[in-house]
Amino acid sequence: MAPASLKDLYFDELEELYDAETQTIRTLPRLEEAARRPELRAMLRKHCDQSRLHLERLDLIFTHWGERRHEKACAGIAGIVQKADSCLNQQTTGDTRDAAIIGVAQRIEHYEIAAYGSARTYARRLNRPDEARLLQETLDEEHRADHRLAQIAEAQIIDDTTEESTIPAA
């Protein structure tokens, strides 16, 4: 059913975010296990822990409203999780797998950044400053995670280029 008001749209977004975080918590440990680089593994573990905190914040928002959360599937993250599963099932080198894992993790971050940004804006428009602050905290964490993933990717690309240039030509 289409949202009839900004409040309905807000709750729709929060419910999808709840499912997105739940799917993320199930997916990140698999990515962590498949990752080769220790800094990537640590980053994925940290983000999984943060996702648990994000769920707590979402629960707090529902409590503020005195509303019960309804199950709402997040198709966007479900598609990214399918991409992750595909990535993990392919035969490839460790560096290439790490690059693919970073790509999947950044897709998750970008989706969450967009959704949390919208939810924060809705909270502001609904005059819910405490909720907007909680959502902004999560949004800031998502931005930092995305930035860290980009740093790891840049370092990996530099390392791979260096390794490739030291391989003698046949």
Side-chain angles (χ1 to χ4, degrees):
M1 182 161 81
S5 67
L6 183 58
K7 179 185 172 191
D8 292 343
L9 184 61
Y10 180 50
F11 275 91
D12 189 62
E13 192 75 62
L14 294 175
E15 289 165 347
E16 279 194 30
L17 276 165
Y18 199 94
D19 185 63
E21 293 289 5
T22 302
Q23 289 185 60
T24 298
I25 289 168
R26 286 193 304 256
T27 303
L28 289 177
R30 294 195 324 262
L31 296 176
E32 177 190 346
E33 186 177 309
R36 186 176 66 89
R37 294 184 182 264
E39 63 271 23
L40 177 57
R41 293 172 68 94
M43 172 59 213
L44 295 168
R45 186 175 321 110
K46 179 180 179 180
H47 187 61
C48 190
D49 292 341
Q50 285 179 333
S51 290
R52 287 183 180 87
L53 176 60
H54 301 168
L55 283 179
E56 290 176 19
R57 288 179 186 149
L58 292 169
D59 278 331
L60 186 58
I61 291 170
F62 286 109
T63 301
H64 283 175
W65 282 88
E67 297 276 340
R68 199 175 67 101
R69 181 182 51 81
H70 299 95
E71 295 295 321
K72 175 122 176 111
C74 180
I77 292 292
I80 297 170
V81 167
Q82 275 186 322
K83 172 76 173 165
D85 291 339
S86 172
C87 161
L88 295 178
N89 291 325
Q90 292 181 1
Q91 294 290 352
T92 187
T93 67
D95 286 341
T96 302
R97 172 166 284 146
D98 280 359
I101 289 169
I102 290 168
V104 166
Q106 283 193 291
R107 283 178 180 88
I108 291 170
E109 296 303 336
H110 293 182
Y111 183 93
E112 290 177 336
I113 287 167
Y116 276 108
S118 294
R120 185 234 20 235
T121 300
Y122 302 155
R124 286 178 178 165
R125 298 294 299 157
L126 291 166
N127 198 27
R128 306 294 289 203
D130 291 342
E131 293 167 23
R133 183 188 50 76
L134 287 173
L135 294 165
Q136 183 64 53
E137 285 179 37
T138 300
L139 188 55
D140 292 343
E141 290 165 357
E142 299 294 358
H143 278 290
R144 283 191 295 274
D146 180 52
H147 180 72
R148 182 65 186 123
L149 286 165
Q151 288 177 323
I152 293 169
E154 288 294 327
Q156 178 176 333
I157 290 167
I158 291 169
D159 290 347
D160 288 350
T161 303
T162 304
E163 289 174 17
E164 288 175 7
S165 67
T166 60
I167 299 172

